[in-house]
Amino acid sequence: MEVRVVQGSITETPSDALIVNLFEGITAPGGATGAVDRALDGAISELIAAGEIKGKICETTLIHTHGKIAPKRVLVVGLGKSDEFDLYAVRKAAGAAIRFLKGKSVQSVTTIVHGAGVGGLNPAEAARATIEATILGMYEPDLYKKEKSQRIETFTLVERDPQKASEFEAAAAEGQILAEATNYARDLANEPANKMTPTKLAEKAQEIAQEYGLEIDILDENRMNNLGMGAILAVAQGSTQPPRLIVMRYRAGDDKPTIAFIGKGLTFDSGGISIKPSENMRDMKFDMAGGAAVLGAMKAIAQLKPAINVLGVVPASENLPDGKAYKPGDVITCMSGKTVEIITTDAEGRMLLADAITYARQLGADYLVDIATLTGSCVIALGIEITGLFGNNRKLIECVLDASKSAGEKMWELPLEKDYMRQLKSDIADIENAGGRFGGAITGALFLKEFAEDTPWVHLDIAGTSDVPGAEAESYRAPGATGVGVRTFYHLVKKIAG
């Protein structure tokens, strides 16, 4: 989809459909919506008076213009209550609007910026959010369908003020790159496991590196064995698919700090010997959503060029049960030298991340952020809208939370309760790989903290937010992978660099 920003009048700019908006409770539309209403002889006001338009968030009402203005149709999208309005509402409204229009034989769409200047929102940020949500809303997980869903060819943001239009151009360009990188991560995670193996994921990383000028190193099982990466190799040994450790590097300068993004790349997780129930096991293709987010973030970072060095590290493997698979009761020696007693082979993600975190520290990372579909406990605690966040450094934690707000990705800090380390105590090894049912998200994070040691570190548990079940898909987003983490990572490096 081509994205443009033009300076001009919304009523005079041709398109198949124009998107305007309305807050809940408004009886007489003002601003751009009011201008369209007047040009349409009060059609919007009449629908408000009749109760057909209420302005509730994501509500959509289509009006044919019959040649009274240049756009052929007008879509009024609800913004919800004005006192609850924020950038998240901007994204919801924009995404709902574009998904509604996808099924209306529309090729070209014009829009105003949703919420520019309302409630103290920065107009450029509102413009970026409008573009992001539109591209994200267009996405469909139809990778292997013969008949693809309808695509909109052009999307044009129209602004009358020349100065604002100029500001919106830069914001729209940034928003487009971030949204397309997020959709790229969604594509990776939506791929079935027979198509997206660890080797294939490494090939995708190489394609990104070649296209955008990133450094890349792919470690095979021989190099991992020479480096003592026993944790990654243990997880992988039950599969015929060889593991890969993907290391991507963006350099901004030797005098700049380095942040490492470390994403769990489990391309399929059966649970191993501790096998999962068969119900919904197909969704375990999403267990590499953290790795997909890192690749998507590196794709965006390479284009937007923040002034900070970035490492992208993705340990990629499958977790399957066969005669060679690692077993409950086994003791594994990690790259750091720590020994781990295996309580369950279904706590494999933390094993992959343990060696990857150690390697990122050896490569000189000053900050660590890992992202993983780690625990079902986090889904129980926070649901499917909010990512769980843990960390050992207050400044880095606040930076990630701030970045998540800019990205429109909800996160909530959970405690790293040190007394819960007793649940990971092993009689035979340095640590167990699982601490039981109670506080599972916390004990998973505590396990990873042992490998981050004194390096500033944040852990993001995206088990709930990595994908949207079909029954939970809303009007503004498709079922399947969400690409969560891509935009937060970019905003984080932008904030640290600044």
Side-chain angles (χ1 to χ4, degrees):
M1 182 172 66
E2 180 186 0
V3 176
R4 302 181 300 185
V5 177
V6 301
Q7 187 270 319
S9 167
I10 56 171
T11 59
E12 297 173 1
T13 305
S15 66
D16 291 333
L18 164 66
I19 303 171
V20 294
N21 54 52
L22 192 76
F23 280 108
E24 187 174 346
I26 296 296
T27 56
T33 306
V36 171
D37 184 43
R38 290 189 294 274
L40 297 180
D41 301 323
I44 297 175
S45 293
E46 288 181 12
L47 291 169
I48 294 171
E52 290 187 40
I53 298 179
K54 296 182 174 66
K56 292 184 179 295
I57 188 70
C58 294
E59 173 193 78
T60 50
T61 306
L62 189 65
I63 303 169
H64 289 260
T65 65
H66 302 294
K68 293 178 180 178
I69 59 176
K72 297 176 182 177
R73 283 162 280 190
V74 169
L75 182 71
V76 183
V77 62
L79 299 182
K81 296 178 181 178
S82 58
D83 60 352
E84 297 177 357
F85 190 71
D86 55 14
L87 287 175
Y88 190 70
V90 172
R91 292 182 173 92
K92 289 183 71 172
I98 205 68
R99 290 190 70 77
F100 177 88
L101 288 173
K102 279 177 62 179
K104 303 299 178 183
S105 299
V106 169
Q107 298 297 311
S108 60
V109 175
T110 50
T111 188
I112 60 174
V113 173
H114 301 302
V118 176
L121 289 187
N122 180 288
E125 289 187 358
R128 188 191 71 231
T130 299
I131 297 297
E132 281 179 3
T134 297
I135 296 171
L136 296 174
M138 279 290 298
Y139 181 85
E140 292 292 344
D142 52 1
L143 297 174
Y144 294 96
K145 286 189 176 184
K146 186 176 180 180
E147 292 186 9
K148 303 292 185 182
S149 60
Q150 181 190 339
R151 299 293 193 258
I152 292 170
E153 300 296 329
T154 62
F155 185 80
T156 304
L157 194 157
V158 183
E159 171 56 47
R160 181 179 290 277
D161 185 320
Q163 183 175 344
K164 282 187 178 179
S166 178
E167 294 172 358
F168 289 169
E169 284 185 4
E174 183 180 59
Q176 183 174 7
I177 288 171
L178 292 176
E180 289 176 351
T182 302
N183 283 347
Y184 175 81
R186 294 166 90 179
D187 274 346
L188 294 179
N190 279 327
E191 286 278 3
N194 64 321
K195 304 289 186 181
M196 187 54 64
T197 63
T199 300
K200 185 64 176 180
L201 188 62
E203 290 172 0
K204 291 290 186 180
Q206 288 176 318
E207 290 172 6
I208 294 172
Q210 184 173 0
E211 182 174 358
Y212 298 106
L214 296 170
E215 297 176 23
I216 189 165
D217 186 21
I218 307 294
L219 282 68
D220 62 14
E221 56 267 57
N222 292 326
R223 288 181 63 192
M224 285 188 267
N225 184 59
N226 291 337
L227 290 167
M229 295 181 175
I232 295 176
L233 293 172
V235 173
Q237 68 191 39
S239 172
T240 58
Q241 293 290 339
R244 293 291 182 263
L245 181 62
I246 302 163
V247 182
M248 307 175 76
R249 190 186 288 268
Y250 164 81
R251 292 188 188 271
D254 293 341
D255 59 333
K256 307 294 184 184
T258 298
I259 185 167
F261 296 131
I262 304 156
K264 174 184 172 184
L266 226 288
T267 57
F268 189 77
D269 180 21
S270 71
I273 295 296
S274 308
I275 196 163
K276 295 175 180 290
S278 60
E279 185 179 6
N280 297 323
M281 193 189 284
R282 69 171 187 172
D283 291 342
M284 288 301 101
K285 69 178 186 177
F286 296 127
D287 221 15
M288 46 76 70
V294 171
L295 264 62
M298 296 303 292
K299 181 183 174 80
I301 286 164
Q303 295 174 77
L304 294 167
K305 302 186 184 306
I308 183 173
N309 298 316
V310 185
L311 275 173
V313 182
V314 179
S317 173
E318 289 185 336
N319 185 27
L320 295 175
D322 85 344
K324 296 183 297 181
Y326 78 136
K327 308 170 292 297
D330 286 358
V331 174
I332 307 300
T333 302
C334 302
M335 184 184 185
S336 68
K338 285 185 172 68
T339 55
V340 179
E341 181 183 4
I342 303 305
I343 302 302
T344 168
T345 63
D346 197 23
E348 83 300 321
R350 65 199 68 183
M351 299 293 288
L352 296 183
L353 293 173
D355 281 348
I357 287 171
T358 300
Y359 194 52
R361 293 180 72 230
Q362 287 194 6
L363 293 176
D366 300 294
Y367 308 98
L368 304 165
V369 182
D370 77 71
I371 181 167
T373 48
L374 204 74
T375 67
S377 296
C378 198
V379 188
I380 300 303
L382 297 178
I384 64 171
E385 295 277 352
I386 304 170
T387 292
L389 180 150
F390 302 82
N392 66 359
N393 181 277
R394 177 48 46 189
K395 287 184 70 174
L396 183 58
I397 289 169
E398 295 298 337
C399 276
V400 175
L401 287 171
D402 194 29
S404 73
K405 291 176 183 176
S406 297
E409 298 180 331
K410 296 179 181 180
M411 296 184 181
W412 192 261
E413 183 182 0
L414 294 170
L416 270 177
E417 177 51 63
K418 63 181 180 180
D419 285 349
Y420 286 11
M421 279 297 295
R422 65 178 178 269
Q423 294 175 223
L424 297 173
K425 186 177 183 299
S426 169
D427 294 330
I428 193 172
D430 294 324
I431 192 171
E432 292 181 351
N433 80 325
R437 290 182 60 201
F438 301 117
I442 296 173
T443 55
L446 285 169
F447 180 92
L448 296 175
K449 180 177 178 289
E450 290 295 295
F451 298 88
E453 298 186 9
D454 58 354
T455 304
W457 158 81
V458 160
H459 160 59
L460 301 177
D461 192 329
I462 59 169
T465 55
S466 62
D467 63 282
V468 180
E472 298 289 340
E474 297 183 67
S475 59
Y476 63 95
R477 59 183 182 177
T482 63
V484 65
V486 172
R487 300 189 309 285
T488 292
F489 283 169
Y490 167 70
H491 285 287
L492 176 60
V493 298
K494 186 176 178 182
K495 290 176 187 298
I496 293 178

